[in-house]
Amino acid sequence: MSAALSKSEYLYKMFSKRTKNKDRENYIINRIWSLLNDDRIFPITQQQIMRTNQKFKRALVDLYFPQINLGIEVDEDHHLSNSNKDFDRFRDIREVNENYYELRIKVDSNKNQDIEFIHAQVDMAVSLIKRKFLSYKFEGDWFDDLKNPQKVAINQGFLSSKQNLSFSTHVQALQTFGFTGRQMMRAGYPLEKLGYSNDYHVWFPTIDQGKNSASNSYQWTNSIEEIENELYITESLKNQQDIGPEIGWNKRVVFAKIKDPIFAKIAYKFIGVFSFDNVKSNQSKIYYKRISDTFQLNKLT
């Protein structure tokens, strides 16, 4: 995210651009935010959550409050005919965010629908959100944390895939570990250079979204797979030539390349520590199994 962006500009874009051409959703989400009337609360519209289900790579939450891990979903007509898909979506979100709580507001396309019915649901949602925030301890300004995720991680002493930290560049992510350089364009970086164990590399893979995308000019393709309730990142080459794990890359601290949920710009999100799986890997595909969803920022020195 641009360092020059102000908090007001962030909020303007958050509640306009991300709900553009969605009249009912836009009205409901903006009404909720107006009634909360508390800029200590951190709002995200159209929050992207990576799913392990292979058919639907990402879930979108209409309005999300990361401080209390609560989402709002506006149920329009198309949700009524897709209840099974909605259940799968909610299940997938809970698999990667087990304490996630969701409120659903029902809306239909009937132009004569009573607006008071909508307002009543919104009022109930706002009341519940406020009650949840009663037990939340506000510390600092969420916008400062948003602009400086590396400082948040350093201050708390760890990275967690359950947090809503996204890094705008490789350099910003690496600053979490003590990197002081100005540029870093490679897909990986050895943490041994920054005082950590030589077992670990930071890795910035582009996750394939089913569009035959590749992570770099060498035509590497990376995907996320769930196998027997374990999360894996797979790595293969488009030309199907034989491949093998790169020496020194057996354990990877992974920042997946994603789209920033507000401005659709590239960002990098920590998704866990992955280790080379010698059993599942073969000459055409390498498997890395997630061994932890956190990483402690403890140097050897």
Side-chain angles (χ1 to χ4, degrees):
M1 188 180 67
S2 170
L5 186 73
S6 69
K7 188 173 184 178
S8 59
E9 289 174 309
Y10 171 92
L11 290 170
Y12 297 155
K13 292 180 182 295
M14 179 64 65
F15 288 98
S16 59
K17 182 177 180 179
R18 300 303 294 171
T19 56
K20 186 178 180 180
N21 299 323
K22 298 179 179 180
D23 294 345
R24 294 170 181 80
E25 180 181 317
N26 184 290
Y27 176 78
I28 290 168
I29 286 175
N30 278 277
R31 185 173 177 85
I32 289 172
W33 178 244
S34 296
L35 290 174
L36 286 172
N37 192 30
D38 189 341
D39 65 6
R40 295 176 303 169
I41 295 174
F42 177 20
I44 303 176
T45 58
Q46 297 297 300
Q47 170 66 58
Q48 295 185 8
I49 298 177
M50 190 171 294
R51 300 170 66 173
T52 55
N53 183 300
Q54 289 301 292
K55 188 174 181 181
F56 306 100
K57 297 287 187 177
R58 298 183 187 277
L60 292 175
V61 178
D62 291 336
L63 177 59
Y64 180 59
F65 299 105
Q67 293 156 318
I68 56 173
N69 200 17
L70 183 146
I72 302 289
E73 187 67 15
V74 179
D75 273 350
E76 299 190 64
D77 287 351
H78 64 273
H79 287 276
L80 299 178
S81 59
N82 291 293
S83 57
N84 289 337
K85 290 182 181 179
D86 282 345
F87 176 79
D88 290 342
R89 168 191 164 281
F90 179 71
R91 180 200 60 201
D92 287 351
I93 293 174
R94 288 294 294 267
E95 283 182 359
V96 298
N97 189 347
E98 62 185 15
N99 295 316
Y100 174 73
Y101 186 87
E102 187 168 86
L103 298 174
R104 305 185 79 88
I105 295 178
K106 299 186 182 299
V107 183
D108 64 45
S109 60
N110 184 350
K111 294 182 180 180
N112 296 319
Q113 184 180 33
D114 186 357
I115 192 65
E116 295 305 322
F117 176 67
I118 301 298
H119 288 177
Q121 293 181 82
V122 168
D123 290 345
M124 290 178 64
V126 169
S127 178
L128 190 146
I129 293 166
K130 287 183 174 180
R131 286 203 303 272
K132 283 188 170 292
F133 270 110
L134 287 176
S135 59
Y136 181 80
K137 184 179 180 181
F138 291 98
E139 295 182 355
D141 189 326
W142 57 263
F143 189 67
D144 291 337
D145 293 346
L146 191 67
K147 292 195 296 183
N148 301 286
Q150 74 278 29
K151 292 183 180 179
V152 176
I154 291 169
N155 289 338
Q156 66 189 16
F158 64 90
L159 286 161
S160 172
S161 64
K162 296 178 180 179
Q163 287 184 296
N164 201 64
L165 298 180
S166 61
F167 301 79
S168 59
T169 64
H170 291 187
V171 168
Q172 190 179 54
L174 288 172
Q175 286 173 348
T176 302
F177 308 95
F179 182 77
T180 58
R182 294 186 177 183
Q183 282 189 319
M184 213 302 290
M185 299 302 293
R186 298 189 302 274
Y189 191 89
L191 282 180
E192 183 181 16
K193 290 185 176 181
L194 300 175
Y196 289 83
S197 165
N198 61 7
D199 293 339
Y200 295 96
H201 255 69
V202 175
W203 187 27
F204 301 98
T206 297
I207 304 302
D208 180 54
Q209 294 297 303
K211 298 179 181 178
N212 296 317
S213 58
S215 63
N216 55 41
S217 59
Y218 296 102
Q219 300 296 293
W220 289 106
T221 298
N222 304 111
S223 300
I224 288 182
E225 297 182 19
E226 183 181 17
I227 304 172
E228 297 176 349
N229 296 320
E230 299 286 356
L231 194 64
Y232 291 83
I233 291 179
T234 63
E235 188 172 39
S236 59
L237 280 171
K238 277 191 171 184
N239 59 15
Q240 297 298 308
Q241 71 184 61
D242 290 350
I243 56 177
E246 298 177 63
I247 296 173
W249 283 59
N250 285 355
K251 289 183 180 178
R252 304 188 175 198
V253 181
V254 179
F255 291 82
K257 186 177 179 181
I258 61 171
K259 279 190 176 181
D260 182 276
I262 304 123
F263 304 104
K265 293 182 179 179
I266 296 302
Y268 301 90
K269 189 176 189 307
F270 174 73
I271 62 172
V273 180
F274 290 73
S275 179
F276 172 66
D277 190 314
N278 186 54
V279 175
K280 291 188 180 298
S281 297
N282 53 58
Q283 290 184 319
S284 62
K285 182 180 284 188
I286 299 175
Y287 285 80
Y288 292 90
K289 178 182 177 180
R290 187 163 72 176
I291 57 175
S292 177
D293 60 7
T294 62
F295 184 79
Q296 297 295 320
L297 301 174
N298 297 324
K299 298 186 179 184
L300 295 178
T301 56

